[in-house]
Amino acid sequence: MTRRHLRLAAVAAAGALALTACASNGASTAPAEDGEVSGEVTMWMYPVIKDEAASKEFWAGAEADFEEEHPGVDLTIELQPFAKRDEQISAALAANSGPDLALVTPDMAATYLNVGGVQPVGEAIDDPDVFYPSTIEAGTFDGEVYGVPIFQNIATNVVNTKVFADAGLEIPDTWDDVLEAAPVLAEQGIAVMDYAGTTEQTLNLSFYPFLWQAGGSVFTDDGTDVAFDSKEGVAALEFLVDLQEMGGLPADSATASITIEGSPWAAGKVGIHTNGLPAELAPLRAAVGGEGVEAALPFEDEIRATFGNPGLMALTSINKQQNREAAYAVLEFLSSKEFQTELSVASGNFSSRTDVPAPGEGADYETLEAALEYAIPGEPNPAARQVMAALAPYIQSALRGELSPEEALDQAADEARGILDRN
């Protein structure tokens, strides 16, 4: 993605954020004369550890551990809710009041870079080669790194093996396998796979993995146009519509929620839960009696692909020169093998580092770790969320049979291009 592309997608707050950046950017300051890094750093962290009490305990410990290593730095870690995270950080940047460091997604990093809200952090990463390449690439723009990856999400298929064994079928691995198994299972009232079509579900965990598997992408390579209306995009949506028509998806897939309780999966009426996250494995297994459930690699068509989004710690334009070295020290701490090992265990997420073990043991985690090879970190484009919101209802229309896949994507693309033009 080029800076030219990023500027094309400037948001209304660009002027305010640009002024903020100009006021605070500059060369990093040298450490104190005695060689000890000093300063004050505020960090906004979000609930990557789902249990609230465990989260508070972990981050309080992390703050204490860091300050023990760097007694000259006053680190304050403030726990924030995920709700309206983007709006919260944007408002803080515009007001030049808020965190020095904040946890962001790749598309958020692209947006904030576009308006001067984040600063390079590459020098805080001692050895980029120990990280999964996709986690570094997700926060890299024009050769500069703007996000230190501190963990890695991964989604993949979760299979009810009993469904396929009872039908005398192999577990599907490719789209062709899915299409072959679908009518056999449909005769028994079972969907070969599920699909969460609600607009509350991110397309990163619904339509986009199929788009990527077909060899397509949401945006063009330079990011100046959408590309989901390509032949690959049509093929991906046709795959889902064909499955719907042959009973290969649950009847309510166009609007289905992401809940497990009371779902067709829990009733034993689904063979594969698509795009499942590690934290879902235990409840998915429990929902069908505790046995016969295992993780599997994502489907393959033109390529094998799935969604795997890194958590990026960004250095904001609020950070002042006198605290720059202190912020770098925090980033180095967060990217270390020791810290990421602890975070991986506490959160259940994979580390962004290749030298940190999986957060659990057994076949499931071996498969999840193998799936990291096929992870795509979403679409790091400043307009990604707006385009996603425009596209989702048209995917629903196709699944309901109101529009053909080609008509749905053409109409969605017209709306999405209007978004890009306005930005």
Side-chain angles (χ1 to χ4, degrees), residues 298-310:
F299 293 131
E300 181 178 15
D301 187 49
E302 292 298 317
I303 64 170
R304 194 184 300 277
T306 189
F307 175 66
N309 195 29

Side-chain angles (χ1 to χ4, degrees), residues 176-226:
D176 287 343
D177 295 341
V178 173
L179 292 170
E180 288 178 12
V184 177
L185 293 177
E187 289 182 0
Q188 304 171 30
I190 297 175
V192 66
M193 63 179 236
D194 61 12
Y195 182 85
T198 174
T199 55
E200 296 177 1
Q201 172 71 300
T202 170
L203 294 185
N204 286 323
L205 292 173
S206 56
F207 179 65
Y208 286 174
F210 296 102
L211 173 64
W212 299 327
Q213 290 162 15
S217 62
V218 180
F219 296 94
T220 56
D221 288 342
D222 65 2
T224 60
D225 194 10
V226 294

Side-chain angles (χ1 to χ4, degrees), residues 347-377:
S347 67
N349 288 317
F350 282 83
S351 170
S352 59
R353 297 177 60 109
T354 60
D355 57 355
V356 172
E361 297 180 348
D364 287 340
Y365 281 98
E366 290 176 4
T367 300
L368 288 164
E369 192 166 27
L372 290 172
E373 177 184 346
Y374 309 107
I376 294 177

Side-chain angles (χ1 to χ4, degrees), residues 65-86:
D65 290 345
F66 173 82
E67 289 181 342
E68 184 177 356
E69 291 182 19
H70 301 275
V73 179
D74 180 10
L75 171 62
T76 301
I77 300 177
E78 299 179 357
L79 302 183
Q80 307 288 348
F82 272 129
K84 297 185 178 179
R85 172 173 53 160
D86 197 1

Side-chain angles (χ1 to χ4, degrees), residues 75-152:
L75 171 62
T76 301
I77 300 177
E78 299 179 357
L79 302 183
Q80 307 288 348
F82 272 129
K84 297 185 178 179
R85 172 173 53 160
D86 197 1
E87 295 92 328
Q88 179 195 35
I89 296 175
S90 295
L93 292 173
N96 194 22
S97 174
D100 299 277
L101 302 169
L103 182 71
V104 302
T105 59
D107 64 301
M108 290 168 68
T111 299
Y112 300 149
L113 172 59
N114 180 53
V115 293
V118 291
Q119 305 177 72
V121 293
E123 65 184 87
I125 301 175
D126 288 336
D127 184 5
D129 291 339
V130 303
F131 292 83
Y132 286 101
S134 64
T135 67
I136 297 291
E137 292 165 4
T140 300
F141 306 93
D142 285 349
E144 289 272 17
V145 180
Y146 288 90
V148 172
I150 65 170
F151 65 86
Q152 167 77 17

